[in-house]
Amino acid sequence: MSTEVKVPTLGESISEATIGEWLKQPGDAVAQDEPVCSLETDKVAIDVNAPVAGIMGDLLAAVGDNVEVGALIARIEDGAGAGAKTVAPRNEEEPAPKNDDKTAGQQSDVADAAVLSPAVRRAVLEHGIDPASVKGSGRDGRLTKDDVLVAAKARDSDSAITADDAAKAAPTSTSAADEDRKVERVRMTRLRQTIAKRLKSAQDNAALLTTFNDVDMSAVIEARTRYKDLFAKKHDVRLGFMGFFAKASCLALKDIPSVNGQIDGDEIVYHEFVDISVAVSAPNGLVVPVVRNADRKSFARIEKNIAEFGQKAKDGTLTMDDMKGGTFTISNGGVFGSLMSTPIINPPQSAVLGLHRIEDRAVVIDGKVEVRPMMYIALSYDHRLIDGREAVTALKIIKDAIEDPTRLLIDL
């Protein structure tokens, strides 16, 4: 007797996904609720869990196949020993482990597999890394994709040193040079395909324009330096720059409603709330989780939301609900060293704020040349809805609030 494994409900407006990885193969023992498959959607990776315990049966969809919600993708057969992960055959030269040790090892394997996100599992398989040999840097010591990549790089570096030593003693040949010119083709993930389509669609359909300004970060840096320890002690979260820019953006969006609006057919939709999409880097690409009602939240709550999203993105555990909606986006290319950029809007939104790196520059203050920590900021907007005067004014409001953070307290 077998039990069907079907594609679960994926979230609002998501009707299909792509098979990203089979975590179980036919013949593997499966525990109830254990992940057997990883699905890639337009936004996140989702695990498909086993509805019952048993033995993995036929796989009815291959990696890369597009499958609709409710589609039958596998079967789980009745069988004994369900719940223990199958163990690879041991080397005949190795002594057989004691029964107690074997049971403990199997349980440990299952526990380890359960806490690995789909992105981490994929990285582990691709690079041949033993998860138990890598110390996790994620929350509660969880393994992240970056941990796996660092471990793989360190291993490859060690191997390269050994290979170089051997090469010095071996005669050179033309085939060695050819080995350095390999070409690798990797299928685009569904998320990367969606990012590509959405960004191209934004360029094709919106009348994109970008306005720039620069901001003296002295006041914000001073405030962070003065209060960061007290803030962290009271709220258990770091006081970052993003909270200041989020609150400053809320002031601008309230004063210039079109920047917080969107075009829907032949109508303009104005939002009386501010849901800020914060662009963060995830293992499979850029994602934009949403800080909801940012205009009503405190600095601490905004910073906590952003920190939680950053950790979830790193672990590959962001959900559909985390990224649903959004009326305005903030993207911080400065964390990667960007000096200036023209960000692309996140449809159907009409504007995006781009932040960049802070660097000391000579500026004229009251007729004197001074060195100040400056940041270029950019506002890209849909000119079909937002006029140039409105865009420039909104960016100036953000600039003024950052340079004089008191404005954030008195709503000015």
Side-chain angles (χ1 to χ4, degrees), residues 27-219:
D28 287 352
V30 180
Q32 185 173 3
D33 294 328
E34 184 180 6
V36 297
C37 175
S38 174
L39 298 177
E40 294 176 356
T41 71
D42 293 347
K43 297 182 178 181
V44 295
I46 297 176
D47 280 344
V48 178
N49 296 329
V52 296
I55 302 298
M56 197 69 192
D58 295 335
L59 307 184
L60 305 179
V63 172
D65 286 355
N66 292 331
V67 290
E68 296 183 349
V69 171
L72 175 63
I73 57 175
R75 291 188 174 89
I76 295 178
E77 307 293 341
D78 291 343
K85 184 178 177 71
T86 55
V87 181
R90 64 181 178 85
N91 190 313
E92 291 300 327
E93 297 179 358
E94 297 177 354
K98 296 180 180 180
N99 290 337
D100 291 344
D101 293 340
K102 183 177 180 180
T103 301
Q106 289 176 339
Q107 292 173 345
S108 176
D109 285 344
V110 173
D112 291 343
V115 298
L116 297 182
S117 70
V120 174
R121 281 194 294 267
R122 189 174 298 112
V124 165
L125 293 173
E126 288 177 355
H127 295 280
I129 295 296
D130 178 8
S133 67
V134 182
K135 183 178 180 181
S137 63
R139 181 174 297 177
D140 299 327
R142 291 184 62 179
L143 200 62
T144 68
K145 184 178 180 181
D146 287 342
D147 297 331
V148 177
L149 296 179
V150 169
K153 185 176 181 180
R155 179 200 60 194
D156 294 343
S157 177
D158 291 341
S159 299
I161 293 174
T162 302
D164 287 343
D165 292 339
K168 292 176 182 178
T172 58
S173 65
T174 56
S175 61
D178 293 339
E179 287 295 319
D180 294 334
R181 294 177 55 79
K182 289 182 177 179
V183 176
E184 181 182 7
R185 290 182 179 272
V186 180
R187 175 182 163 274
M188 291 177 68
T189 65
R190 189 181 184 91
L191 175 59
R192 175 51 60 187
Q193 293 178 45
T194 300
I195 291 173
K197 290 176 182 177
R198 287 175 63 84
L199 293 182
K200 185 57 181 172
S201 174
Q203 287 185 321
D204 291 342
N205 298 323
L208 290 179
L209 193 61
T210 303
T211 183
F212 300 92
N213 214 318
D214 59 355
V215 178
D216 184 348
M217 298 293 291
S218 299

Side-chain angles (χ1 to χ4, degrees), residues 227-237:
Y227 298 115
K228 64 180 182 180
D229 292 338
L230 290 174
F231 188 88
K233 183 177 180 180
K234 180 175 181 178
H235 300 293
D236 194 29
V237 67

Side-chain angles (χ1 to χ4, degrees), residues 339-392:
L339 176 64
M340 185 180 292
S341 67
T342 55
I344 299 178
I345 64 173
N346 178 26
Q349 297 172 20
S350 297
V352 52
L353 175 67
L355 309 183
H356 303 91
R357 77 170 185 251
I358 302 171
E359 63 175 8
D360 288 341
R361 293 204 299 270
V363 295
V364 178
I365 307 293
D366 296 330
K368 298 180 180 180
V369 177
E370 298 184 16
V371 176
R372 296 289 183 95
M374 304 296 294
M375 176 196 286
Y376 288 117
I377 57 176
L379 184 74
S380 291
Y381 58 98
D382 189 345
H383 211 346
R384 296 177 302 165
L385 172 59
I386 303 169
D387 294 332
R389 176 184 62 83
E390 294 175 316
V392 171

Side-chain angles (χ1 to χ4, degrees), residues 209-357:
L209 193 61
T210 303
T211 183
F212 300 92
N213 214 318
D214 59 355
V215 178
D216 184 348
M217 298 293 291
S218 299
V220 167
I221 291 175
E222 181 183 354
R224 289 185 70 234
T225 301
R226 180 181 300 179
Y227 298 115
K228 64 180 182 180
D229 292 338
L230 290 174
F231 188 88
K233 183 177 180 180
K234 180 175 181 178
H235 300 293
D236 194 29
V237 67
R238 186 178 69 90
L239 177 60
F241 291 119
M242 191 63 80
F244 287 94
F245 279 101
K247 297 299 285 186
S249 296
C250 290
L251 290 182
L253 300 180
K254 289 295 185 180
D255 284 355
I256 314 294
S258 61
V259 182
N260 195 41
Q262 65 186 56
I263 294 176
D264 185 10
D266 58 358
E267 297 180 332
I268 299 174
V269 179
Y270 294 103
H271 302 99
E272 296 184 2
F273 53 88
V274 179
D275 286 353
I276 296 182
S277 302
V278 181
V280 296
S281 182
N284 290 332
L286 195 69
V287 293
V288 279
V290 180
V291 178
R292 305 191 191 285
N293 299 314
D295 52 323
R296 307 173 199 170
K297 289 183 175 177
S298 66
F299 270 81
R301 187 66 262 171
I302 290 175
E303 292 290 0
K304 285 183 179 180
N305 284 165
I306 294 172
E308 290 166 358
F309 288 144
Q311 187 61 53
K312 292 174 74 173
K314 191 175 182 181
D315 294 341
T317 57
L318 285 169
T319 67
M320 293 289 188
D321 288 340
D322 290 334
M323 291 180 286
K324 179 181 176 182
T327 62
F328 181 76
T329 294
I330 300 179
S331 178
N332 186 6
V335 297
F336 304 110
S338 173
L339 176 64
M340 185 180 292
S341 67
T342 55
I344 299 178
I345 64 173
N346 178 26
Q349 297 172 20
S350 297
V352 52
L353 175 67
L355 309 183
H356 303 91
R357 77 170 185 251

